[in-house]
Amino acid sequence: QPPRTCDDYWSEFRHCKSLWNRFHNYYAHGTSPSCGQWKEDYYSCREWEKNPGPETKESLQQSERNREAEQRKFTPVWDLRRDPPRDWHMPLHQGKSPDSQS
Amino acid sequence: MDQNKPQEEDYGYNLFPERNSGKFQKGSIAESLFTFNHKCQVMLQFAMETSKLTVLSCLFSAVYKDRHFSCEDCDGTVSGGFDATSSQIVLCQNNIHQQSHMNRVVTHELIHAFDHCRAHVDWFNNFKHLACSEIRAANLSGDCSFHNEVSRFNFGLKKHHQECVRGRALRSILAVRKVSREEAEKVVDEVFDTCFNDHAPFGRIPHDKKDANFAYRDFENRDRYYANL
């Protein structure tokens, strides 16, 4: 099935084009938002539902992979953990020094 | 970072005097009912139920109000903090008086908690890590919304959000570390691009409720999403 429901693509497109979103985009980035990809993805999604073949899937999947890549294109300043910190759930102790390193 | 500092670094703990005593005390019933502490607890409960926070607290549904939050009196005008040594968010009951402010502070501190939970953040020794988390918290919590900036009489429009994020990150660093303004600015500049564009866990900058709801929808949908890429 497509990564998102087709309605989700359409609602993202509408949200992207909305006045508020255009305002927020200008306020944060100084530009108008680019919304065309959501619309394209919506049509690809509909196509996928009608004719689920490798070509129709590939177009939508590639678009989503690009979206993911955009989110990850900056080198992080820190290393990610594999598990949460060991002491995350440990109970608080009376008399524990606040300067102690975890 | 090795430096000879004239003053001993206390990592900002002077702002949270109730933490310095090293004891975590529970107050009397009278104290809990009729004071800022009670108001803080009530507002915190309400804040946990708003949508932006649902994304964060659900993401690691391991955040418990009684373990990971503490309402305390603080110095100065600071609104809250994240104590990495105890994995606790501190809310300044004497400085938070409105629900909207509480919502914002909880979101801001949850972003620090989220960073602590998902990455090896060296809060005490690595300024880049500290700066990065402050940039993200200012960016994603609503601290720098147009509305909040206008209420501080900071009137800016085009890309003003970024200016605000830089400024607030700088202020936060200077509040908890004994460094010069120039040093702090340098570090913020170094990591700004990377950290401003790191929108985890939202996937976008949540400017309003609709953004937050869409981010939550993405979170709920994540299994289907990654299975079909």
Side-chain angles (χ1 to χ4, degrees):
Chain A
Q1 55 183 344
R4 307 176 206 243
T5 67
C6 297
D7 284 344
D8 283 359
Y9 288 109
W10 189 251
S11 63
E12 287 282 6
F13 172 64
R14 294 303 311 272
H15 176 62
C16 183
K17 299 284 282 179
S18 72
L19 201 58
W20 268 130
N21 186 61
R22 282 189 281 163
F23 172 79
H24 285 138
N25 208 78
Y26 188 74
Y27 179 67
H29 304 290
T31 59
S32 285
S34 155
C35 305
Q37 193 58 49
W38 287 116
K39 194 177 186 185
E40 249 186 72
D41 289 347
Y42 170 72
Y43 288 124
S44 300
C45 183
R46 282 276 176 244
E47 196 55 39
W48 180 328
E49 282 181 338
K50 271 195 302 194
N51 310 309
E55 296 89 27
T56 48
K57 288 183 184 181
E58 184 54 29
S59 147
L60 186 54
Q61 284 173 328
Q62 191 55 51
S63 169
E64 288 288 11
R65 282 186 225 122
N66 291 343
R67 218 171 251 130
E68 278 289 297
E70 272 296 304
Q71 286 280 320
R72 292 182 211 288
K73 77 179 178 196
F74 298 91
T75 321
V77 304
W78 43 50
D79 295 327
L80 293 178
R81 291 180 192 264
R82 282 184 14 197
D83 304 297
R86 267 179 305 121
D87 59 357
W88 185 259
H89 281 303
M90 270 167 58
L92 300 165
H93 295 301
Q94 290 281 342
K96 180 181 171 189
S97 158
D99 287 331
S100 65
Q101 301 267 345
S102 55
Chain B
M1 205 189 237
D2 282 318
Q3 274 188 343
N4 282 324
K5 299 192 178 73
Q7 290 165 289
E8 206 183 295
E9 183 63 77
D10 70 0
Y11 303 109
Y13 275 105
N14 66 302
L15 296 169
F16 307 101
E18 290 183 32
R19 311 240 117 205
N20 263 336
S21 66
K23 284 191 284 200
F24 296 88
Q25 285 177 329
K26 285 204 162 127
S28 67
I29 292 180
E31 188 185 285
S32 62
L33 282 180
F34 299 114
T35 59
F36 282 150
N37 189 278
H38 176 64
K39 187 175 171 190
C40 181
Q41 301 281 1
V42 169
M43 289 203 289
L44 171 59
Q45 180 62 37
F46 203 79
M48 302 274 294
E49 289 159 18
T50 60
S51 61
K52 209 182 279 190
L53 301 168
T54 316
V55 180
L56 283 175
S57 44
C58 279
L59 197 68
F60 51 115
S61 53
V63 166
Y64 298 110
K65 190 162 71 74
D66 295 331
R67 165 63 180 82
H68 294 109
F69 291 90
S70 175
C71 285
E72 296 170 16
D73 283 331
C74 308
D75 278 0
T77 55
V78 68
S79 307
F82 175 65
D83 182 0
T85 54
S86 59
S87 299
Q88 246 196 352
I89 287 169
V90 180
L91 300 167
C92 299
Q93 62 200 18
N94 56 326
N95 291 330
I96 303 173
H97 301 297
Q98 288 179 321
Q99 186 63 57
S100 58
H101 189 194
M102 172 62 86
N103 293 353
R104 201 165 37 84
V105 174
V106 172
T107 311
H108 180 115
E109 302 305 336
L110 271 175
I111 287 163
H112 290 319
F114 175 70
D115 285 340
H116 181 69
C117 197
R118 66 160 175 155
H120 290 285
V121 182
D122 187 356
W123 299 98
F124 299 100
N125 300 311
N126 193 325
F127 275 117
K128 284 188 181 178
H129 288 191
L130 175 64
C132 194
S133 195
E134 290 297 351
I135 287 166
R136 279 175 33 79
N139 186 21
L140 302 171
S141 63
D143 278 349
C144 284
S145 71
F146 182 75
H147 176 259
N148 282 331
E149 276 292 271
V150 163
S151 69
R152 296 178 195 121
F153 302 107
N154 295 329
F155 299 105
L157 190 54
K158 184 173 181 176
K159 263 174 138 178
H160 180 74
H161 181 86
Q162 293 188 33
E163 220 177 283
C164 170
V165 168
R166 256 182 221 275
R168 291 190 73 80
L170 200 63
R171 263 182 43 171
S172 296
I173 295 168
L174 293 172
V176 298
R177 293 291 184 274
K178 294 179 170 61
V179 288
S180 69
R181 194 182 180 89
E182 289 73 35
E183 262 185 86
E185 276 176 355
K186 184 163 165 282
V187 174
V188 167
D189 283 339
E190 265 177 48
V191 300
F192 190 80
D193 277 341
T194 294
C195 303
F196 183 76
N197 288 294
D198 180 357
H199 301 149
F202 300 105
R204 64 188 83 205
I205 299 173
H207 293 282
D208 56 19
K209 217 169 189 154
K210 197 138 193 228
D211 283 328
N213 288 335
F214 275 46
Y216 188 60
R217 183 175 72 180
D218 289 347
F219 169 69
E220 286 194 304
N221 197 44
R222 66 197 182 286
D223 290 338
R224 169 180 171 159
Y225 182 75
Y226 289 109
N228 290 291
L229 273 190

